[in-house]
Amino acid sequence: MPAPRGKRKGGFIRRRRVCRFCAEKIDYIDYKNVKLLESFIPERGKIIPRRISGTCAMHQRMLAEAVKRARNAAFLPYTTD
Amino acid sequence: MRTYELLFIVAPTETDETVEALIEQLRTVATERGSTVTKVDKMGRRRLAYPIRKSPTTFTDANYVVLTIEGSGVEIAELERRLRVSDAVIRYLTVRIDEDLKRAEKFKTKRQAKGRPAGTHRRGRGHASEAEVFTDAEDSSAAEEEEVS
């Protein structure tokens, strides 16, 4: 996963850590768990891309779905401007 | 038996009795159709992440209630209708969670069976074993994975 991605853009390789959810073995991401979700939406309210947060594909999908539900339920903002 | 999670947000101007009455009403509706309310979680008053407008007022905080319902699914339409009609409720969200819980259980039992593969947080080499875990999971639960995405 780290190196062979065409040309190397300096700086994006360091974040090759294991998925947080896989490491902790979390299988269901609850949309009501605001504390957990908050760490994946920085100030603007946007969902952090996978290559930055390091989560795996499966959990990123779960996470995105949970964030969207949370936004609907007014647990998380859609945007902060 | 399907498990649903029904979350609804009540205007902060409503009294606790109104909320209770509403919960009871929903409970009756559910039992009338042969399902059971297994859990009632009153999350209480919380600040909303963004103001919600329900004419003529705008709310900045509200009362959250979560019901966990087990049933066949026929009751959901009626429950949602009640919530939609109710003036006290400003938002609701129904989620079907039995599949998710089933999947979570499946992963858990799998992990226990395999004896904690790739649990430790290792750099570099850690990735190879992580990949293993995932291909296994995907192979056998391929059908469920597609449902999710």
Side-chain angles (χ1 to χ4, degrees):
Chain A
M1 254 194 249
R5 281 207 173 226
K7 39 189 168 162
R8 274 204 180 207
K9 304 183 179 187
F12 278 148
I13 316 292
R14 54 194 166 101
R15 276 298 202 141
R16 286 299 113 199
R17 321 194 76 199
V18 207
C19 163
R20 253 174 67 175
F21 300 103
C22 293
E24 293 174 26
K25 300 188 184 321
I26 297 174
D27 295 318
Y28 175 59
I29 304 180
D30 190 10
Y31 63 95
K32 302 191 286 297
N33 190 346
V34 183
K35 244 190 333 180
L36 171 67
L37 296 176
E38 261 175 355
S39 47
F40 289 94
I41 54 155
E43 53 162 61
R44 266 304 201 81
K46 298 165 133 190
I47 303 179
I48 298 186
R50 233 185 94 195
R51 53 172 192 182
I52 308 286
S53 60
T55 54
C56 66
M58 183 176 82
H59 285 118
Q60 182 72 6
R61 286 196 296 270
M62 284 193 203
L63 175 63
E65 194 182 1
V67 172
K68 290 171 189 174
R69 282 187 193 152
R71 283 174 176 167
N72 191 341
F75 286 122
L76 294 173
Y78 280 97
T79 180
T80 49
D81 271 319
Chain B
M1 251 320 123
R2 304 179 178 188
T3 317
Y4 293 91
E5 197 175 72
L6 177 55
L7 165 137
F8 55 96
I9 315 182
V10 183
T13 48
E14 301 292 327
T15 58
D16 287 335
E17 289 102 43
T18 328
V19 175
E20 276 304 321
L22 179 60
I23 296 177
E24 279 315 304
Q25 188 193 47
L26 296 175
R27 199 192 290 262
T28 325
V29 170
T31 35
E32 270 173 13
R33 282 157 184 76
S35 32
T36 47
V37 176
T38 45
K39 201 156 56 139
V40 176
D41 181 13
K42 292 199 219 128
M43 293 174 62
R45 228 146 259 222
R46 292 181 60 123
R47 221 190 131 82
L48 297 173
Y50 49 88
I52 296 183
R53 252 175 306 171
K54 184 167 172 105
S55 55
T57 35
T58 311
F59 301 110
T60 39
D61 49 338
N63 214 333
Y64 282 80
V65 181
V66 180
L67 301 180
T68 313
I69 303 174
E70 281 219 12
S72 56
V74 294
E75 66 277 7
I76 298 297
E78 179 58 29
L79 288 170
E80 285 195 345
R81 194 189 68 86
R82 297 280 170 114
L83 293 175
R84 211 186 341 253
V85 154
S86 158
D87 286 327
V89 176
I90 50 179
R91 205 162 273 196
Y92 61 89
L93 176 62
T94 319
V95 183
R96 180 169 168 187
I97 54 175
D98 47 295
E99 293 291 325
D100 296 334
L101 295 175
K102 244 198 323 179
R103 214 169 356 107
E105 276 308 306
K106 205 163 170 235
F107 280 141
K108 227 194 299 191
T109 40
K110 261 200 170 187
R111 283 209 195 99
Q112 277 155 8
K114 281 187 98 177
R116 280 191 60 108
T120 43
H121 186 112
R122 297 181 302 205
R123 310 209 176 206
R125 302 286 165 89
H127 270 292
S129 24
E130 280 295 311
E132 272 175 30
V133 179
F134 271 94
T135 29
D136 277 343
E138 282 182 42
D139 279 341
S140 46
S141 58
E144 299 201 55
E145 282 295 323
E146 311 214 10
E147 253 189 278
V148 171
S149 23

